[in-house]
Amino acid sequence: MSDNYIFHYFKVNGRGAIIRAILSSMKADWTNHAFTREEWPTIKKSGLCEFEQAPVLEYKGKTYAQSMAIAFYLGRKFNLMGKDEEENYEIESLMCCMEDIHNAMFKFTHLPENEKDKYDELRKAAMERYKFFIKKIEERYVKHGKGKYFLGDRFTLCDILVGAQLPTFCDRFGEQVVLQVAPILSELIKRLMEGELKEFHEKYFYKTQ
């Protein structure tokens, strides 16, 4: 049985960015199965997806569902979680922030045709929510000492969240939002993009067309 991880998700960033960034930064033996919207109906009904949702991770004959659960599973396997419960709270609460941003963005990125007139209003609301979260995340980083990594001297899931996921949101908005409202956090992201997350941004970051 192969020890190769196979990650199945759309050829977009979305809820797959964090998982791809974990596998890439940890130099895991993995395959990135990035599929198109047109391929999705067949994959959805193939039996691969337990809840008929993506992403899905395959490993040693087992499939794992739900993006947050997969991220925490891999975070534990690759020692990316906190050194204690307090640091685990920091990581888990940031994960919840990312999910809140996803939900706000989904409202304008997946509008049905008969509601397209709401696009500008919903995009503006999502942008304000995103800026709010970014400022709060920067405050937390500053509180931890503005070190090499988010929680100090050790690379954790926090760094993957801010260094991989936040840039995907900026790309979807088409604006460098973090640089505009959180310059200190932006410096951390820049370092991560040039360091541990370099391969992710070069190979697995899907720019919005």
Side-chain angles (χ1 to χ4, degrees):
M1 187 177 296
S2 174
D3 285 350
N4 175 257
Y5 294 92
I6 305 174
F7 182 61
H8 306 269
Y9 191 60
F10 296 99
K11 197 175 290 187
V12 298
N13 293 314
R15 288 179 169 82
I18 288 173
I19 300 164
R20 287 178 177 132
I22 293 172
L23 293 167
S24 172
S25 64
M26 293 293 101
K27 308 300 181 186
D29 178 10
W30 73 294
T31 300
N32 179 36
H33 177 211
F35 52 82
T36 64
R37 299 283 178 188
E38 291 71 27
E39 293 172 306
W40 171 235
T42 301
I43 295 170
K44 181 179 179 179
K45 297 298 183 181
S46 68
L48 173 71
C49 310
E50 181 181 7
F51 301 114
E52 296 190 347
Q53 294 175 321
V56 170
L57 180 72
E58 279 189 89
Y59 183 59
K60 291 187 175 181
K62 184 176 178 179
T63 58
Y64 299 81
Q66 298 295 335
S67 57
M68 289 184 71
I70 295 169
F72 286 134
Y73 169 74
L74 292 175
R76 289 188 292 270
K77 284 188 74 73
F78 290 110
N79 195 31
L80 292 168
M81 298 301 290
K83 67 178 184 295
D84 54 33
E85 287 307 311
E86 291 301 312
E87 286 195 355
N88 282 338
Y89 161 77
E90 298 281 347
I91 292 168
E92 290 161 8
S93 60
L94 283 195
M95 281 289 284
C96 292
C97 289
M98 300 298 159
E99 192 64 16
D100 286 339
I101 298 167
H102 273 303
N103 291 338
M105 294 188 72
F106 192 88
K107 291 178 181 178
F108 80 86
T109 58
H110 293 73
L111 273 173
E113 284 299 323
N114 63 342
E115 296 183 14
K116 291 295 185 182
D117 59 318
K118 298 179 181 177
Y119 178 89
D120 290 342
E121 174 190 348
L122 292 173
R123 183 186 183 281
K124 181 180 179 181
M127 175 68 86
E128 291 306 309
R129 197 65 177 149
Y130 184 40
K131 288 180 178 178
F132 170 81
F133 278 118
I134 289 171
K135 289 176 182 176
K136 291 298 181 182
I137 292 169
E138 182 180 62
E139 288 173 11
R140 201 182 271 194
Y141 172 54
V142 171
K143 181 188 73 175
H144 286 295
K146 299 184 293 184
K148 180 180 180 180
Y149 299 116
F150 194 91
L151 293 178
D153 60 0
R154 193 170 69 85
F155 183 71
T156 68
L157 198 51
C158 280
D159 299 291
I160 291 176
L161 297 176
V162 300
Q165 188 71 76
L166 291 185
T168 73
F169 293 137
C170 291
D171 175 71
R172 193 64 184 83
F173 278 118
E175 298 182 33
Q176 292 302 314
V177 190
V178 181
L179 183 59
Q180 294 168 16
V181 303
I184 298 173
L185 187 65
S186 183
E187 283 299 311
L188 170 63
I189 292 172
K190 183 174 182 289
R191 287 200 304 275
L192 292 167
M193 289 174 66
E194 294 171 350
E196 287 87 348
L197 298 175
K198 188 173 190 289
E199 183 184 77
F200 164 75
H201 282 280
E202 290 180 346
K203 294 183 178 180
Y204 305 110
F205 187 97
Y206 294 90
K207 289 192 71 66
T208 301
Q209 302 298 315

